[in-house]
């Protein structure tokens, strides 16, 4: 049987970026740290993708380690907003094309300004959602810029 590919995996393959696809038993109740544990990986290199909306009504994407929390004040400062709030769950799928637990910074319906936490600078490889619950991809940090534009900032508590 052929390996199931997500849009994220197809995008990476199309851009000729080496990646490792990993799967785990899909369970929306799992925390990011539990997913890292299931994969046998350090939670410091497994990132979650969070979508926010600024006071200006502009949307922003933040990608942070699963073991940390997004600091909304630091995040707002990083993107030049007075304040930002997490996007309500019911708006995630129509806006991004992804469901909660399967949101990836790669392959959203539309590109939004994306910020990775500065801890990315200490890593050579990073894991994030493969675009579907139960799927993760690992890519080299140096290859992220070949797929999306992003900035790095201190955005965690």
């Amino acid at each position: 049987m052929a390996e199931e590919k997500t849009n994220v995996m197809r995008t990476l393959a199309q851009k000729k970026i080496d990646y490792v696809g990993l799967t785990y038993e899909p369970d929306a109740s799992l925390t990011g740290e539990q997913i890292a544990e299931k994969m046998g990986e350090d939670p410091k290199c497994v990132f979650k993708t969070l979508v926010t909306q600024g006071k200006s009504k502009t949307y922003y994407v933040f990608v942070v380690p699963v073991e940390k929390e997004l600091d909304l004040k630091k995040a707002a400062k990083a993107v030049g907003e007075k304040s930002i709030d997490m996007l309500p769950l019911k708006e995630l799928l129509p806006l991004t094309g992804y469901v909660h637990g399967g949101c990836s910074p790669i392959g959203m319906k539309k590109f939004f300004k994306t910020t990775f936490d500065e801890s990315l600078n200490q890593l050579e490889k990073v894991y994030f959602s493969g675009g579907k619950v139960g799927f993760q991809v690992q890519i080299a940090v140096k290859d992220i810029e070949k797929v999306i534009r992003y900035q790095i900032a201190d955005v965690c508590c």
Side-chain angles (χ1 to χ4, degrees):
M1 190 169 113
E3 175 192 356
E4 183 179 352
K5 294 229 187 261
T6 65
N7 283 339
V8 172
M9 294 171 180
R10 282 189 284 276
T11 299
L12 292 171
Q14 180 183 34
K15 298 211 179 255
K16 296 181 178 17
I17 294 172
D18 289 333
Y19 73 91
V20 176
L22 297 132
T23 60
Y24 59 91
E25 192 60 39
D27 179 348
S29 70
L30 289 175
T31 66
E33 285 146 312
Q34 290 169 323
I35 292 167
E37 189 179 310
K38 278 185 169 285
M39 296 187 321
E41 291 300 330
D42 184 341
K44 286 178 177 50
C45 62
V46 180
F47 282 49
K48 57 188 170 186
T49 305
L50 305 170
V51 183
T52 63
Q53 186 173 29
K55 192 170 178 78
S56 69
K57 301 294 181 209
T58 303
Y59 297 104
Y60 302 97
V61 174
F62 292 91
V63 191
V64 302
V66 295
E67 64 178 3
K68 295 188 178 180
E69 293 298 319
L70 180 66
D71 182 315
L72 294 175
K73 287 185 179 181
K74 287 181 179 179
K77 184 178 178 190
V79 295
E81 286 276 355
K82 286 186 177 166
S83 65
I84 61 169
D85 291 303
M86 294 301 299
L87 187 73
L89 266 180
K90 67 182 190 306
E91 295 177 27
L92 186 64
L93 179 60
L95 181 71
T96 66
Y98 290 129
V99 297
H100 177 68
C103 193
S104 177
I106 296 173
M108 289 190 185
K109 284 182 175 181
K110 183 178 170 202
F111 178 78
F112 302 106
K113 184 171 188 168
T114 302
T115 304
F116 277 78
D117 181 63
E118 67 182 2
S119 61
L120 184 73
N121 287 333
Q122 280 101 53
L123 303 173
E124 288 186 21
K125 63 181 181 179
V126 65
Y127 297 81
F128 46 75
S129 176
K132 188 175 178 182
V133 178
F135 289 79
Q136 292 277 313
V137 291
Q138 173 214 336
I139 70 170
V141 170
K142 66 179 176 47
D143 288 337
I144 299 170
E145 67 186 17
K146 296 174 184 173
V147 193
I148 57 169
R149 293 181 317 277
Y150 68 95
Q151 66 177 10
I152 292 181
D154 175 13
V155 294
C156 289
C157 301

